[in-house]
Amino acid sequence: MNIVTLLPFIVLIGAMFLMTRSAKKKQQAAAQMRNDMQPGTGIRTIGGMYATVKEVHDDAVLLEVAPGVHAVYAKNAIGAVLPDDEYNRIVHGEDALKEDTPVVPDDASSLTETDEPADASDDSRIDLGKKDTAAEADDAEPKKTDGESDAK
């Protein structure tokens, strides 16, 4: 056989090897993360629930989902082990408001105030009234019944 005919097969096998290798590395990293859990660690489940680890067993984990509320989860249900500062920020709201973020006032009137005095004789005001029925009838298209369509 010629090397040119084998080249596509070699490239395909190489691509499959690289894809399975990266997926296997991700699985190993996730398993290592789950095995490194300690009691008191904050976690996020694959369902998006945040909890604190109370006990770690071979295939299961006892989680405290609320003060005094415990639940048993499979280790595979743990999506991420969170650092303490991130867990406290998300769950307890600590350091949620930083000095750099703008503060929105409770009263929105301060957002609409202007320095210019309001002019009572302003002719550029928008007319919010209804149109005349004659002008409205000229603008409107005739209504279609259920059987009619735009295609002709």
Side-chain angles (χ1 to χ4, degrees), residues 40-56:
T41 307
I43 58 99
R44 181 182 64 235
T45 65
I46 58 174
M49 182 180 67
Y50 293 91
T52 304
V53 177
K54 286 298 177 184
E55 295 178 9
V56 179

Side-chain angles (χ1 to χ4, degrees), residues 1-145:
M1 285 191 131
N2 193 354
I3 189 74
V4 176
T5 58
L6 290 177
L7 190 61
F9 294 113
I10 294 171
V11 170
L12 183 64
I13 291 171
M16 289 174 51
F17 174 73
L18 291 175
M19 287 190 296
T20 57
R21 184 173 164 221
S22 66
K24 192 171 188 176
K25 280 186 177 182
K26 287 180 184 178
Q27 286 177 343
Q28 287 176 346
Q32 184 66 32
M33 177 238 353
R34 290 181 186 116
N35 289 333
D36 290 344
M37 282 188 300
Q38 299 294 324
T41 307
I43 58 99
R44 181 182 64 235
T45 65
I46 58 174
M49 182 180 67
Y50 293 91
T52 304
V53 177
K54 286 298 177 184
E55 295 178 9
V56 179
H57 302 288
D58 292 335
D59 293 334
V61 179
L62 180 67
L63 301 177
E64 185 176 29
V65 295
V69 179
H70 297 88
V72 178
Y73 276 78
K75 272 191 176 180
N76 290 339
I78 306 301
V81 176
L82 304 173
D84 289 337
D85 58 341
E86 184 179 356
Y87 178 77
N88 289 333
R89 181 183 58 81
I90 293 170
V91 175
H92 303 296
E94 294 177 7
D95 296 326
L97 183 63
K98 298 201 182 210
E99 306 265 337
D100 300 349
T101 58
V103 178
V104 178
D106 291 337
D107 183 15
S109 64
S110 65
L111 298 174
T112 59
E113 291 177 357
T114 60
D115 294 337
E116 301 172 5
D119 189 5
S121 64
D122 190 10
D123 292 334
S124 64
R125 292 186 179 180
I126 299 173
D127 183 20
L128 299 176
K130 292 185 176 181
K131 292 183 179 180
D132 292 344
T133 55
E136 196 172 284
D138 292 341
D139 293 340
E141 295 181 18
K143 290 188 175 183
K144 296 177 178 58
T145 60

